Amino acid sequence: MAEPVRVVIVDDHSIFRSGLRSDLDETVAVVGEAADVPAAVVVIAETRPDVVLLDVHLPGGSGHDATGGEEVIRASAGVTTRFLALSVSDAAEDVVRVIRAGARGYITKGSSGIEVSRAVHAVAGGDAVFSPRLAGFVLDAFGAVAGETAAAGDELDRLSAREQEVMRLIARGYAYKEVAAALFISIKTVETHVSAVLRKLQLSSRHELTAWASERRLL
């Protein structure tokens, strides 16, 4: 049996932390908790978890135009760990800022214990994870936030609007079933779109697609 994924839960509500700990499945081991920015930085450095489940808004930060979650991520830059934002907020600014700070995903507190456990494993494996209902927003936000609109070149123009949606989700690490759920289409339709995207862009794999999209700032 594989070793459980080691996680630290960072949230300023003790009831939420204890509830989440009990809801996570047996493939996830909670090795530490913290309720504010300073405590989070310390426990992450001490336990060096695989994944940190991180609330976006935390007390104890500097307050210099940054959320607590951002500060935790940046202060933990020397630790090899991945961050998954878990917040009640689905505000555009919160999602953009924490992902830009280095989080690998963002899910809401309405997620079940099973969904959070799956997201933890996905992030630990290097994938990016977002709650399905945030997917459309994430695409829009990272395509055009603060005036940083990615230029659509000749290659991108080859793709239909739906193919571009699928392309961005796949490039960000979504599984086919997650893309299907986010866009309300079947998995087979996703497969068809991916094949068309790879053919039109003359790429051979989703890994090449991720590199292609990253170079063009389309993620």
Side-chain angles (χ1 to χ4, degrees), residues 63 95 122 146 162 174 201 210 215 217:
V95 179
R162 178 62 89 186
Y174 278 62
L201 299 179
T210 297
E215 288 172 1
R217 300 176 68 185

Side-chain angles (χ1 to χ4, degrees), residues 33-58:
E33 296 182 9
D36 57 32
V37 172
V41 174
V42 170
V43 74
I44 290 168
E46 290 178 345
T47 61
R48 308 184 79 83
D50 301 308
V51 176
V52 177
L53 285 166
L54 180 70
D55 194 5
V56 174
H57 296 282
L58 295 167

Side-chain angles (χ1 to χ4, degrees), residues 117-200:
S117 298
R118 289 174 179 168
V120 165
H121 279 276
V123 168
D127 287 338
V129 179
F130 296 91
S131 291
R133 68 192 185 90
L134 295 180
F137 158 70
V138 171
L139 295 180
D140 292 341
F142 280 85
V145 61
E148 298 175 1
T149 305
D154 292 339
E155 292 176 308
L156 191 60
D157 289 340
R158 299 173 192 170
L159 308 181
S160 68
R162 178 62 89 186
E163 287 169 349
Q164 290 184 36
E165 290 178 325
V166 171
M167 177 273 292
R168 286 187 172 93
L169 289 172
I170 291 295
R172 288 195 66 84
Y174 278 62
Y176 283 10
K177 64 180 180 181
E178 292 173 323
V179 176
L183 299 180
F184 303 100
I185 57 180
S186 70
I187 294 177
K188 186 167 184 60
T189 299
V190 174
E191 293 173 348
T192 299
H193 285 315
V194 171
S195 295
V197 168
L198 294 178
R199 183 182 70 254
K200 291 179 179 181

Side-chain angles (χ1 to χ4, degrees), residues 8-12 33-45 49 51-63 66-85 97-98 101-103:
V8 162
I9 300 173
V10 180
D11 192 282
D12 60 336
E33 296 182 9
D36 57 32
V37 172
V41 174
V42 170
V43 74
I44 290 168
V51 176
V52 177
L53 285 166
L54 180 70
D55 194 5
V56 174
H57 296 282
L58 295 167
S62 67
T67 64
E70 288 177 81
E71 292 193 42
V72 171
I73 294 172
R74 292 182 174 129
S76 303
V79 181
T80 303
T81 190
R82 292 187 169 100
F83 293 86
L84 173 60
R97 291 176 67 161
V98 77

